[in-house]
Each structure stands twice: as C-alpha cells, then as structure tokens.
Amino acid sequence: MFAQLFTDIASLWAKYHTMYLTGILNTLILAVVATLIGCVIGFICGILQTIPCGPKDNIVKRVLLKIIRIIIRIYVEVFRGTPMILQAVFIYYGMPYFFGVSFKDIWTVSIIVVSVNTGAYMAESVRGGIMSIDPGQFEGARAIGMNHLQTMLYIVLPQTLRNIMPQIGNNYIINVKDTSVMFIIGFNDFFAVHKMVSGAVFKYFPSAFLEMGGYLILTLVASFLLRKMEKRLAGKSNYELVNTDTLTMSAGTYSYPRDAASPFDETSKDYKGEKA
Amino acid sequence: MSEHILEIRHLSKTFGTHAVLKDIDFTVDKGDVTSIIGASGSGKSTLLRCINLLETLTTGEILFHGQDVTAGKINPSAYRAKVGMVFQNFNLFSNLTVLGNCMIGQQKVSKIPKEEAKNRALYYLNKVGMAPYINARPDQISGGQKQRVAIARALAMEPEVLLFDEPTSALDPEMVGEVLDVMKSLAKDRMTMLVVTHEMAFARDVSTHVVYMADGVIEEEGKPSKIFSDPESPRTREFLKRILNT
C-alpha cells in the first residue's frame, strides 16, 4: 500500500515540482522578511513604551508619551486579538473604501499583514525583555553619562535581543506555517500550491504528505539555525588572559601617561606583589 | 584656599511621607576623600544617589563648581559623566567584555576615538590590576575583580569626583582588601572621592574628612582623627563604640 503512495508522490513531484519549489521559496521569503520587519516594529513599540517619564517631566512630553502608549496598546490588542486570515481580507479589500486605492501587488499586502501581526506579538515580547533587564544596568549606564537612547542602544537592547531570541524563533516558525492563510487573498505560498495541485488531480493525501515534509524541513532548519545564533549571542564560554607586558608596552599600543602610582603596577613604587 | 567641587545645600528627600534625608549641607573640595558612615537606613546611599541625580531631590540644590545641577540648565548626562559612580553591585554591562565596559562610555558619551579610548581603558585597567582580563565578560570574573573593573570604568571617564556606594559590602571578606587597595592608591593620587562605607579602618586611615549620618541628618562631621578619637555627639560615640567593638 505504501508503494502506491510513493508512486503518487513521485508522479506529483515529477509533474509539479517547480510549483512546489516556488511555493516553498515564496513562503520562506514572506516568513523571513515579515519576521524581520515585525521585529523592528516590535522593538520600536517596546522602546517607546518603556521611555521613563515622571511627574517632573514637562507636560508636553507626558501627554505625548501617554498618547503613544495608548496607540500601541490599541495596535497590540487589535492585531493580537483578531485572526490573521481576517486581517488579510480586511486590509486587502478594505483599502479601496478607506483610501480609494487597492493594492495591486499581493506581495506588498502579504508582507504588511504578516509584519504588522508579528509586530503586535513582538511588541509585548520586547517590552517583557526590557523589563527583565536588571535596573542596575540602566543605572550603570546613566552613571557614566549615557542618555536614554544610548543606554537602550548599547546596553539594554543587546541584552534584550539575547533574552528574547527564543521568542523571535517562535514567531518565525509560527510565521512559516501561518503565512499559509495568505492564500485567501491569492498569495502563492506553499499551501496554495497544495490547493491548486490537489484540486487539479484529486490526489489530496500524497500532496498533503509532500507539504507536511516540506514544512517540517523549513521549520527544522530554522530551529537549528536559531540555536546556533543563540549560542553566538551568548558569547564565548572561555576567555584568554592577555599578557599585559607585550600587549601594552612592547607592542606600542600603550601610550597613556603612567605617572600615577598603583599597587598592581610593578613599575610603581607602591607595587604590592612579589619583588623581582 | 581649596576649590569647592561639590556643594550640597539644604538637600531633602522624601519617599512618600517618609523623610529619608533632612536638610543635608556639606561641601566636597578638590582632593578630599570624604567617608560617609552611619547605620543602615540612615540615608547614606540615598544621599550619594541624589548627588549623582539617580534620585530626584525633593528640595535643595547641588552645586557643581558653583552651578546648580538640579535647576535643569545643565544636562544631567553631561554632569554624570564628570561625577563617576561605583555601585555596591558593580552594575557592569553584561553584554560587553571588561575592555568594552571601560570603552563604551568614552566612545559614546565623550566621543573619544576608538584607539585612544582603548589606550585609556588599558591604562586604568592596568592601574586596578585587571588588564590581563580585558577579554573576559563580567559573569566570568570574581566579585572583587568586577568591582575593580567598575572602578576602572568610572576612572576611564576621567571624572572630577568619584562616588563609591558601599563598594565592598557585596564582596566576600577575602576580596575586600583588593578593592580597598585600589581605593587607597586613588586617594594617594589625590582623586576626589566620596565614599559611603562600613569599612571603619578605611574611613579612619585613608579619608581626609568623615561625615557621620543618623536618621537622615548629618550628626557630626570633621577630621577622622577627631571623629574617631573624640566625637562630640553622644550618638556618634555610641555608633563607633558599637561598630568598632564587633
């Protein structure tokens, strides 16, 4: 009985493999691009929501921040709380009513819908990631004179990114699968190919079998790459001691004045270590 | 006559209805090593955090070279760059290496070119004995080493005053010495320092000025020899008797 299945799959593949491959490629591109844009949206929302603001700040700033927070709140709740398949229909068919123009390009609409949807989830992940950073990191940065933007860019966000990497991976894998709902507006993704092919030749199960395998390969490769990336972001687990003498003196990179005494500096009169 | 770097005038701080600092007045001159001592909860750390504008004052003013930094005319970030701070819990940036920790402020805040920032960072890391560890990340080194890096990070900004908020309180006893050694060497270099500490030996032997705080007010201040041998206030005497006998 398996023999029949494999012949069917083989014949499907022989006849339609370019369509399946195009579908996979489209799914992949949409998922990658939309996840990246979604992350950017999420980071922007997360940063805007965590700008510190106290009763001592001026009224314009406070009102502005309040409005921004409300807008982000509404955005997150609406796009997290409705099905993406409906959002796609809503935006694609709603545009003519609101703006008098309709999108000609399915790609543009699809990328917008998936990005905006991902962004709504990422906004909360980023907010959580920022809140999980030790307040000492903010204080340390402020104490050396960094402003809020610098603190965020160089200290907090790199740590946040590392912490929410699993979340980003989650969203990416969800996107690989959920972009399949874009067939509703005619996006030619991997799943749309299944609908077309099985509709044409009535081989539902063999085509579904192929599709299952294809999606699994896409997500397994993604999982593997994400793990690698997480490891890289975590940094090296070892470090090498640097020989101070060669690095700082003989190599000539060390040119800062050395007039002050230090108990750790062997050329100093205050040196506390063992005398040569 | 020495130059006033910091003047604290009528500083008060309340959290809700709880007054943590009440009408604090004192000055820090160039080259002073001022130790702030007192029981836990007396407001020492809050005072230091107010001076670095990490807490907003309720009333009062802080003059830096005669200019009020609380009035909003001076950018708090620019002021903080000139007033270094060393924390009890180090607060090293965990996403950066030891070297990166000492360079980031110079590069981003003081806009110093990378090469010079690196040289300066190496100079100060060498001064605190941490130059061999430039490639390590903060979670890979010991508490005493972290605190020495934190001191180097603050020094790399070349501040005019360095504030220490109980720099040895979170350390294991055998690591306290290495941090105090660094601080002593800074005192020798005439670095202006303001140190909140429970290390009475440091307050007595290294500092030039001692401030004793109790319940949010300065109970007594003066030369360490005077405070430690002949305190005027009975509360100071009681505090010192208790802490020196244990």
Side-chain angles (χ1 to χ4, degrees):
Chain A
M1 62 186 163
F2 284 121
Q4 182 58 45
L5 176 60
F6 288 122
T7 7
D8 284 348
I9 291 175
S11 72
L12 270 182
W13 183 253
K15 204 164 166 196
Y16 297 108
H17 68 271
T18 37
M19 279 177 79
Y20 280 114
L21 287 176
T22 320
I24 283 202
L25 189 67
N26 287 349
T27 293
L28 194 65
I29 293 171
L30 178 59
V32 169
V33 172
T35 308
L36 288 178
I37 299 175
C39 282
V40 173
I41 296 174
F43 268 93
I44 292 170
C45 292
I47 294 166
L48 287 174
Q49 284 186 95
T50 47
I51 293 175
C53 166
K56 285 214 165 181
D57 287 307
N58 73 48
I59 186 84
V60 181
K61 184 183 169 191
R62 274 159 57 197
V63 170
L64 206 67
L65 277 175
K66 189 86 197 156
I67 293 171
I68 288 173
R69 272 172 212 193
I70 291 171
I71 292 173
I72 292 174
R73 200 72 243 150
I74 293 172
Y75 159 60
V76 169
E77 295 301 344
V78 167
F79 279 88
R80 213 173 44 169
T82 54
M84 191 158 76
I85 190 165
L86 262 178
Q87 291 164 15
V89 173
F90 191 81
I91 291 177
Y92 187 63
Y93 295 105
M95 277 300 134
Y97 290 95
F98 289 111
F99 301 106
V101 287
S102 58
F103 284 114
K104 290 281 175 292
D105 188 12
I106 295 292
W107 270 102
T108 317
V109 192
S110 301
I111 288 175
I112 289 175
V113 171
V114 183
S115 305
V116 164
N117 190 278
T118 311
Y121 284 93
M122 286 304 302
E124 290 296 279
S125 297
V126 172
R127 196 168 67 89
I130 292 172
M131 285 195 302
S132 75
I133 304 293
D134 172 20
Q137 298 285 314
F138 290 87
E139 288 191 349
R142 282 166 73 194
I144 57 171
M146 286 193 185
N147 58 34
H148 182 68
L149 185 68
Q150 289 169 329
T151 306
M152 277 295 178
L153 272 173
Y154 306 118
I155 309 301
V156 177
L157 292 185
Q159 296 180 36
T160 305
L161 181 67
R162 191 180 61 196
N163 289 351
I164 66 168
M165 206 54 213
Q167 275 297 321
I168 295 176
N170 243 346
N171 272 318
Y172 172 71
I173 285 176
I174 289 172
N175 277 347
V176 167
K177 299 177 299 171
D178 283 8
T179 44
S180 59
V181 304
M182 288 299 132
F183 81 88
I184 198 86
I185 54 168
F187 182 79
N188 187 31
D189 81 319
F190 195 33
F191 182 68
V193 175
H194 166 75
K195 288 200 63 118
M196 265 185 280
V197 171
S198 56
V201 294
F202 303 112
K203 292 212 159 83
Y204 291 99
F205 183 69
S207 178
F209 198 94
L210 238 170
E211 293 266 325
M212 289 288 262
Y215 274 115
L216 254 183
I217 290 170
L218 279 182
T219 52
L220 286 178
V221 169
S223 293
F224 174 76
L225 292 177
L226 283 162
R227 280 289 151 95
K228 284 225 142 174
M229 214 141 97
E230 262 174 55
K231 268 202 175 147
R232 255 192 65 184
L233 280 176
K236 285 190 217 140
S237 56
N238 294 315
Y239 62 89
E240 287 187 6
L241 288 183
V242 176
N243 184 335
T244 332
D245 288 348
T246 49
L247 178 86
T248 57
M249 286 148 211
S250 337
T253 55
Y254 192 89
S255 57
Y256 210 71
R258 316 167 38 80
D259 49 354
S262 157
F264 295 98
D265 177 358
E266 35 199 299
T267 59
S268 149
K269 55 188 186 314
D270 294 317
Y271 182 53
K272 284 207 165 173
E274 63 270 30
K275 298 273 192 285
Chain B
M1 194 191 139
S2 55
E3 182 193 357
H4 292 329
I5 292 189
L6 277 173
E7 280 175 74
I8 316 297
R9 285 193 191 157
H10 306 296
L11 190 157
S12 304
K13 170 75 184 171
T14 54
F15 288 110
T17 54
H18 177 51
V20 182
L21 296 172
K22 300 163 204 158
D23 202 22
I24 301 283
D25 263 296
F26 76 103
T27 56
V28 175
D29 291 348
K30 197 167 167 47
D32 271 0
V33 178
T34 308
S35 288
I36 305 176
I37 58 172
S40 294
S42 56
K44 311 180 299 283
S45 290
T46 308
L47 173 60
L48 216 57
R49 292 170 58 82
C50 282
I51 291 174
N52 205 15
L53 303 180
L54 287 174
E55 302 282 353
T56 47
L57 338 178
T58 310
T59 56
E61 49 191 19
I62 295 167
L63 305 185
F64 182 66
H65 291 296
Q67 270 191 303
D68 188 4
V69 294
T70 57
K73 278 181 200 146
I74 293 176
N75 183 350
S77 296
Y79 163 71
R80 286 198 198 102
K82 290 182 193 159
V83 179
M85 176 109 172
V86 174
F87 298 88
Q88 183 176 356
N89 295 316
F90 331 121
N91 292 349
L92 289 178
F93 306 134
S94 61
N95 58 320
L96 298 172
T97 61
V98 164
L99 184 63
N101 265 278
C102 297
M103 286 172 69
I104 189 95
Q106 299 183 63
Q107 288 182 273
K108 304 303 176 190
V109 178
S110 317
K111 311 285 181 209
I112 290 169
K114 196 176 170 194
E115 270 309 302
E116 198 192 330
K118 189 176 174 188
N119 285 341
R120 209 194 259 189
L122 283 172
Y123 170 75
Y124 286 110
L125 282 167
N126 194 48
K127 202 171 163 63
V128 300
M130 285 302 291
Y133 294 88
I134 51 173
N135 295 326
R137 278 182 295 113
D139 55 1
Q140 295 168 326
I141 55 179
S142 74
Q145 292 175 324
K146 280 184 205 171
Q147 196 59 295
R148 286 192 273 147
V149 172
I151 293 172
R153 175 176 75 180
L155 285 171
M157 298 299 292
E158 311 216 307
E160 293 181 43
V161 194
L162 206 46
L163 312 177
F164 290 83
D165 185 9
E166 304 194 24
T168 58
S169 297
L171 298 176
D172 290 337
E174 70 262 35
M175 292 171 181
V176 170
E178 62 188 63
V179 172
L180 287 180
D181 281 346
V182 170
M183 291 168 65
K184 280 177 202 160
S185 84
L186 293 178
K188 213 170 219 167
D189 298 347
R190 306 274 298 149
M191 179 81 212
T192 312
M193 298 197 277
L194 193 53
V195 187
V196 167
T197 187
H198 291 292
E199 295 289 331
M200 290 304 137
F202 179 88
R204 185 180 55 213
D205 303 333
V206 183
S207 52
T208 57
H209 194 78
V210 174
V211 172
Y212 170 66
M213 283 182 68
D215 293 332
V217 293
I218 293 178
E219 184 75 20
E220 188 167 355
E221 61 174 315
K223 294 246 173 265
S225 51
K226 166 86 175 130
I227 300 268
F228 279 91
S229 57
D230 183 23
E232 271 165 26
S233 150
R235 289 191 77 169
T236 317
R237 206 172 305 143
E238 183 58 33
F239 171 77
L240 287 171
K241 206 169 102 188
R242 197 153 27 90
I243 206 155
L244 291 175
N245 287 343
T246 49

